[in-house]
Amino acid sequence: MSDNVEKYIKRKVYKSTNSRIAQKFVDAGLEKLRACINCGTCTGGCPSGRRTAYRTRSVLRRALTGDESVLEDIGIWFCSTCYTCYERCPRGIPVTDMIIKLRNIAVEEGHILDPHFVLANKVFYVTGHGVPANGEGNQKWRDLRESYGLPPLPPTVHMHPEAVKECQELMKSVGFRDLLDKIEKQKEKEKLEAEKAEANKIEDKKKEKEKK
Amino acid sequence: MSKNSKWKYGFFLGCVAPNRYPMIEASIRAVFDHLGAEILELEGASCCPAPGVFRAFHIPTWLVIAARNLTIAEELGIDVVTGCNGCYGTLRDAWVELNHEPELKKMINEHLAKIGREFKGSIEPKHVVQVLYQDLGIEYLRGFVKHKFKDLKVAVHYGCHIIKPSDKRPWGGEYEDPTFLDEIIEITGAKSINYKDKFQCCGAGGAVRTAVKEISADFSREKLENIRDAGADIIIDCCPFCHLQLDLGQMEANNFYKDIIGEPYKIPVIYVTQLLGLAFGIDPNLLGLMKNHDLQQVPPFISLEPFLEKVKNQLT
Ligand code: SF4
Ligand code: SF4
């Protein structure tokens, strides 16, 4: 992006904030959202918006104006990536890709749901599969494969420990391992703080009772 | 299997088909073999990685692992075939992006070099349905039909990523109302019926299922309602993750939404190659249509019996 365009975006679009996050939005290419005319076509065809409070247009608008709270909005995880909005946007904005980028920034800031984090950290990173069939707890899935005349494990990473290593090597190389470690620490800290707060609450109640 | 087949593919399995719905894997192998299309294993392939999940967490991870998977087929010098819309989405999107953005390709190859691999972009990732429709062709398939269903109403579910984003798919830009899967299904004599919001998402993708199951199940509830209203005997799909969502998801919809759905749903869900294989006269055991085990809590969660009973006499 040329300096001029960048200045323009910062001034016009993110003028309400000059935060670190706004810079991240710019870096991620979310400036494409400037073409949005707020027509609402994306929201109108969204199968998730039919049943949840998630509103595609509104999420994009918040990202465009540098509203950081959008990163903590669980609604951004309700997009099923069906690409209806992407296809229908009259301004040619790759809407679904924008939502995925927004999620990337959210994760970087530590806003990732626990089940998603476990899936990335304890399943995908460890086994190379998102849904594995190896390990003790998965005997029935290997039996199921055999009942259909297939070998108990597929010829994927499951049969090739060196391939798992390759994947982990790559994930370290692109910085995913560091990101997961950072989030893990952050989550542990949050958990400790929550426990502390809970303990303090109980303590306070006790004291109150004693007073009475 | 003919050893010098003109059709040769590296079979990208992904996760859900081999590790949860192996009947789908079995039926793809059986049908490709029957049609003289050779399948080679992609040894050491990993999760694609899932486009709505891992891509949403960290794009560079998604891209580099996808590229690694493609290099396995490049070493064999053959195109990839996958039976999963999600894997297709990942492999195809990554393939298009890397081939169109030299800077990105260079960056990814710097990472791949550390494990002694290089992405060249020399082979094309294809979907099972794409191979059937574009490589083998409807007329070729028609020549294999032995039995025709006389009375079978089918609700075809395409899913999303086989069609969209249309600029990275091979269907000439069609995304609102494609017909390729219906055409394939109808050579078996089955009737593909129209139903409300046929192209609506099943609700499994985009990390939604892992985030909040009730929301995913509500997507499926709506689809199932429309499919039942239209009077379909079975659902046909072409994606193991949609398949899981429409099979296991029926149980979940029956559970979460029992107060609003009336009768519980029990519509058999069949993968495209399972139905084709039956029409080709392939043994239903090879197509993963028969249960040969006593395992508990494994798919199919919705019994296929009503379907098998219905077509028993039609397959003569
Ligand atoms: S469809 Fe496109 S132009 Fe319309 S509101 Fe959505 S993003 Fe903006
Ligand atoms: S891709 Fe996401 S935001 Fe767009 S229509 Fe589908 S569910 Fe809605």
Side-chain angles (χ1 to χ4, degrees), chain B:
Chain B
M1 191 190 292
S2 84
K3 282 280 164 263
N4 310 311
S5 171
K6 65 171 161 165
W7 298 298
K8 215 184 224 180
Y9 305 94
F11 192 13
F12 187 82
L13 293 165
C15 299
V16 179
N19 297 340
R20 293 297 180 270
Y21 280 79
M23 55 291 269
I24 292 177
E25 178 187 337
S27 76
I28 294 170
R29 290 184 187 278
V31 166
F32 269 56
D33 188 39
H34 191 80
L35 294 171
E38 196 177 341
I39 272 180
L40 299 179
E41 307 301 339
L42 294 178
E43 299 287 342
S46 66
C47 174
C48 54
V53 182
F54 303 118
R55 182 190 209 167
F57 300 164
H58 195 233
I59 292 170
T61 298
W62 167 79
L63 199 55
V64 81
I65 300 286
R68 175 189 173 273
N69 281 325
L70 290 170
T71 64
I72 300 174
E74 286 183 348
E75 279 170 9
L76 298 172
I78 47 176
D79 287 342
V80 169
V81 69
T82 173
C84 173
N85 287 4
C87 301
Y88 184 56
T90 279
L91 298 179
R92 202 155 173 107
D93 289 358
W95 175 69
V96 172
E97 280 178 26
L98 290 171
N99 277 339
H100 281 85
E101 292 174 45
E103 282 300 311
L104 201 59
K105 186 169 162 182
K106 206 175 132 223
M107 185 270 277
I108 288 299
N109 272 332
E110 277 163 19
H111 294 293
L112 286 172
K114 295 185 186 165
I115 58 163
R117 293 184 178 274
E118 188 196 348
F119 171 83
K120 300 191 184 71
S122 51
I123 56 99
E124 181 181 351
K126 296 177 174 175
H127 193 288
V128 160
V129 172
Q130 182 186 354
V131 166
L132 293 173
Y133 192 79
Q134 295 185 337
D135 291 6
L136 277 58
I138 287 277
E139 284 321 307
Y140 181 77
L141 299 183
R142 212 189 294 281
F144 285 85
V145 175
K146 251 192 166 161
H147 311 297
K148 275 204 157 184
F149 303 107
K150 292 166 197 80
D151 171 28
L152 184 66
K153 293 198 285 299
V154 168
V156 175
H157 170 76
Y158 281 76
C160 304
H161 297 163
I162 191 171
I163 312 169
K164 297 172 279 192
S166 61
D167 55 343
K168 298 184 182 120
R169 297 295 177 271
W171 312 112
E174 178 60 61
Y175 62 87
E176 292 281 358
D177 195 18
T179 58
F180 55 87
L181 188 52
D182 308 85
E183 290 171 48
I184 291 176
I185 292 305
E186 293 207 320
I187 66 168
T188 68
K191 172 97 189 82
S192 168
I193 58 168
N194 204 1
Y195 63 95
K196 187 178 170 212
D197 287 332
K198 177 171 167 181
F199 290 94
Q200 188 205 294
C201 170
C202 70
V208 178
R209 195 183 154 79
T210 316
V212 187
K213 243 175 219 130
E214 284 82 349
I215 297 177
S216 275
D218 193 58
F219 276 73
S220 343
R221 179 201 54 74
E222 190 181 1
K223 277 221 84 128
L224 292 163
E225 185 178 313
N226 295 335
I227 286 170
R228 185 161 70 183
D229 284 352
D233 298 313
I234 58 169
I235 298 169
I236 289 287
D237 56 30
C238 58
C239 170
F241 203 29
C242 298
H243 197 94
L244 178 150
Q245 185 60 24
L246 294 169
D247 175 45
L248 178 57
Q250 283 193 56
M251 307 288 279
E252 291 164 349
N254 289 345
N255 174 24
F256 296 143
Y257 302 110
K258 54 178 173 290
D259 297 337
I260 55 168
I261 58 172
E263 277 286 296
Y265 294 112
K266 48 175 197 291
I267 312 167
V269 188
I270 315 274
Y271 189 82
V272 51
T273 42
Q274 291 185 299
L275 190 80
L276 271 186
L278 270 189
F280 293 162
I282 300 175
D283 179 351
N285 281 296
L286 295 175
L287 296 169
L289 285 164
M290 313 307 277
K291 187 181 150 188
N292 296 310
H293 60 76
D294 303 311
L295 301 165
Q296 299 295 313
Q297 291 295 307
V298 294
F301 293 97
I302 301 296
S303 170
L304 304 184
E305 271 312 311
F307 162 70
L308 294 170
E309 191 51 40
K310 186 176 170 83
V311 299
K312 202 169 62 189
N313 299 323
Q314 299 183 35
L315 291 173
T316 45

Side-chain angles (χ1 to χ4, degrees), chain A residues 7 10-11 13 16 18 29-31 38 43 91 93 105 118 123 138 175 182 190 194 200 210:
Chain A
K7 266 185 213 146
K10 278 196 189 148
R11 198 178 66 232
V13 181
S16 54
N18 50 13
L30 288 170
E31 85 280 359
N38 270 297
T43 301
R91 300 292 289 156
I93 296 168
I105 300 173
V118 170
V123 183
N138 284 322
K182 191 184 95 183
E190 279 165 16
N200 282 345
E210 279 165 10

